[in-house]
Amino acid sequence: QVRLQESGPGLVKPSQTLSLTCTVSGGSISSGAYYWTWIRQHPGKGLEWIGYIYYSGSTYYNPSLKSRVTISVDTSKNHFSLKLSSVTAADTAVYYCAREHSSPQGGWFDPWGQGTLVTVSS
Amino acid sequence: EIVMTQSPATLSVSPGERATLSCRASQSVRSNLVWYQQKPGQAPRLLIYGASTRATGIPARFSGSGSGTEFTLTISSLQSEDFAVYYCQQYNNWPPYTFGQGTKLEIK
């Protein structure tokens, strides 16, 4: 059974870069069968898709975040990472990683990591 | 960007009764719609994909229907563990994938 686990600092200062890693266990990112995704949820609010990466390194980002987001993958460590630059308080959220099941049209997310709260504050 | 609108924001239903949750897309997403359940302090859990296909392990009391712009999640006989927030998500037009704002299903 595939499990995902987010890790990284819970507090980031404004204007700095948020960095998180998602470690995958019980399955290989390199299998090529799935995409690997970051999603966030602002406190008490809905869900926002950030972007995904394929094991080959190809990425797709939310246009609203594209200028500040980088998602990378390390297949040797079976993990993928998120960097979000120039953060502000509006980036305070619970960040989830998830596996994307892809159809010809697009995809859905299962399973999800437990999520990690990142607070942007000085 | 496709906007997903869920209604109602909060739904109060008694255990054992039926719950009907709605999701509307700002333009057609065909049948490319997903439903998730989220309990407090937990990550969302996949319930339904392709508008009507239950995910592995999801009880038969959960059913999804609809296509185009109007979708429904029905829980036929509410159990105590079903009280949660439910989100819809479209995957027809992306990027970005977009989610509804959620419906909170609470005990009446």
Side-chain angles (χ1 to χ4, degrees):
Chain A
Q1 183 179 0
V2 171
R3 296 185 187 275
L4 295 88
Q5 177 69 57
E6 305 88 351
S7 60
L11 181 64
V12 181
K13 289 181 166 49
S15 80
Q16 294 191 343
T17 296
L18 178 160
S19 296
L20 296 173
T21 294
C22 180
T23 301
V24 179
S25 59
S28 173
I29 284 180
S30 300
S31 70
Y34 303 100
Y35 294 80
W36 304 93
T37 295
W38 288 98
I39 294 163
R40 69 180 182 179
Q41 185 170 33
H42 295 99
K45 299 290 180 61
L47 298 155
E48 180 180 29
W49 177 75
I50 298 171
Y52 75 55
I53 191 163
Y54 193 51
Y55 80 100
S56 62
S58 63
T59 55
Y60 243 117
Y61 300 139
N62 189 323
S64 69
L65 298 168
K66 186 176 182 178
S67 64
R68 298 194 293 131
V69 172
T70 302
I71 299 177
S72 59
V73 64
D74 186 334
T75 55
S76 67
K77 295 181 179 177
N78 215 37
H79 72 208
F80 61 106
S81 300
L82 169 70
K83 291 189 184 300
L84 182 66
S85 63
S86 305
V87 297
T88 70
D91 295 307
T92 293
V94 175
Y95 286 77
Y96 294 100
C97 58
R99 183 179 68 175
E100 178 183 329
H101 294 247
S102 189
S103 74
Q105 292 74 37
W108 57 90
F109 311 113
D110 177 62
W112 299 53
Q114 66 184 27
T116 187
L117 174 63
V118 179
T119 301
V120 179
S121 175
S122 55
Chain B
E1 175 175 320
I2 294 182
V3 177
M4 307 301 292
T5 303
Q6 293 184 241
S7 61
T10 303
L11 181 62
S12 299
V13 183
S14 299
E17 294 189 342
R18 174 188 296 257
T20 303
L21 290 68
S22 296
C23 175
R24 173 178 292 178
S26 59
Q27 63 188 80
S28 176
V29 297
R30 297 187 287 177
S31 293
N32 298 314
L33 185 104
V34 187
W35 290 95
Y36 301 94
Q37 175 195 69
Q38 186 178 35
K39 296 180 179 179
Q42 296 184 17
R45 171 195 180 197
L46 176 68
L47 296 176
I48 302 279
Y49 61 92
S52 61
T53 302
R54 276 190 304 278
T56 301
I58 300 304
R61 63 180 182 273
F62 290 90
S63 63
S65 62
S67 65
T69 62
E70 301 285 342
F71 301 88
T72 300
L73 175 69
T74 301
I75 311 171
S76 60
S77 178
L78 279 164
Q79 308 296 305
S80 58
E81 62 266 29
D82 300 335
F83 293 95
V85 179
Y86 292 82
Y87 293 96
C88 60
Q89 175 230 322
Q90 67 83 21
Y91 57 94
N92 191 71
N93 285 55
W94 62 278
Y97 297 120
T98 51
F99 296 83
Q101 80 281 15
T103 290
K104 182 179 180 180
L105 181 57
E106 64 177 27
I107 300 174
K108 186 174 182 179

